[in-house]
Amino acid sequence: MQRTRRHFPAWAILSLLLVPAATGTPGRLRPDAVQPGPSIPAAESAPGGGLRLTAPFDRPDLDRAYWDMPIRPSGPASPGIAVELDCPDPAALRAVTLHLHSRGHWLSAQQTVPAPGRQTLVFNAVDFIPESGSPDWRLADRARLSVWKGEPRPVSLILHAIRPHSPAFRILQGSERSAPGETALAAQCAARARRLLEKAGIPAAVTGDDLDPLDPRSCQWVILPYNPSLTSRQLDILKRFVRRKGRVGVFYHSG
């Protein structure tokens, strides 16, 4: 079987950390490490921690505000990225986009802010789309957080963290490898599995099916919602995972 190469691996090794404060305080975010877009207010330290990012969406000529910040690749394998933020006025935001810069190219994924207050937006690896070239997000050296105008008024949000998202449940979204000719159906099944798990209060990440070796210490369950044609390599990885006390939930398979 000929294998199709993806633009980037679904199980990316990337620990997204904002540059630490000059004082060395763990987890503190530095305003001077964040570069605002043209005519956008600079980031400010927020009371209680985090960075205050203000988008002047009362300006009729402004549809997007963004801020760039350095990141460094490190840490364990992670199938997604979590952005922790607090937004008191989500109606003023149409969407939030996370861009990753790697070797002169960008990848991006988009989410909406569903409600006011502190929350975590999860950007799964399979959600990122290359804007040009074939960038590898494991090598990303910069993140860009963009917010898009909703209702035309100024809005401020507090950015608390950009970090790896590594829940215990991973959902394997089929590609041409494991669902040849049925990738749209495989994506629908993966999305439905994620919704059902989250409805039950179980955090889960959707990953691609280009599996790397799985570590049960960070991933306890692998869910296969629709992967009817697993390759021998994928089966070997899953067998090793089960032998190491990992668990696999298979909802459809023709073999």
Side-chain angles (χ1 to χ4, degrees), residues 17-31 33 45 49-51 159-160:
L17 301 174
L18 293 178
V19 176
T23 59
T25 305
R28 183 178 170 189
L29 308 183
R30 286 176 46 182
S45 294
L51 296 178
L159 175 63
H160 293 282

Side-chain angles (χ1 to χ4, degrees), residues 22-136:
T23 59
T25 305
R28 183 178 170 189
L29 308 183
R30 286 176 46 182
D32 61 346
V34 178
Q35 179 65 44
S39 303
I40 302 302
E44 302 175 321
S45 294
L51 296 178
R52 182 181 300 279
L53 308 176
T54 300
F57 284 150
D58 53 334
R59 286 171 36 190
D61 62 327
L62 186 67
D63 189 55
R64 179 180 76 140
Y66 69 84
W67 298 264
D68 287 358
M69 55 204 76
I71 57 176
R72 55 176 183 265
S74 64
S78 174
I81 300 169
V83 177
E84 295 182 19
L85 54 81
D86 191 329
C87 180
D89 185 13
L93 299 180
R94 186 168 78 249
V96 175
T97 303
L98 180 64
H99 314 262
L100 298 178
H101 178 267
S102 174
R103 292 184 171 182
H105 299 282
W106 292 91
L107 308 105
S108 63
Q110 193 168 96
Q111 292 283 358
T112 58
V113 179
R118 184 161 178 168
Q119 58 205 285
T120 300
L121 303 183
V122 175
F123 299 84
N124 289 295
V126 294
D127 298 331
F128 281 92
I129 299 173
E131 297 180 6
S132 63
S134 299
D136 186 341

Side-chain angles (χ1 to χ4, degrees), residues 174 177-180 182 186 225-230 252-255:
R177 293 183 183 88
S178 63
E182 299 183 283
Y226 189 77
N227 308 83
S229 301
L230 292 170
Y252 176 90
H253 198 278
S254 60

Side-chain angles (χ1 to χ4, degrees), residues 210-255:
D210 46 349
L211 285 170
D212 287 336
L214 301 170
D215 187 348
R217 291 174 297 181
S218 60
C219 171
Q220 299 172 15
W221 276 88
V222 174
I223 306 297
L224 284 72
Y226 189 77
N227 308 83
S229 301
L230 292 170
T231 66
S232 58
R233 175 181 176 274
Q234 291 168 325
L235 287 170
D236 288 341
I237 290 174
L238 291 171
K239 289 175 183 177
R240 287 196 297 270
F241 177 66
V242 171
R243 285 196 295 266
R244 297 179 64 192
K245 309 303 182 183
R247 299 181 179 183
V248 176
V250 182
F251 288 90
Y252 176 90
H253 198 278
S254 60

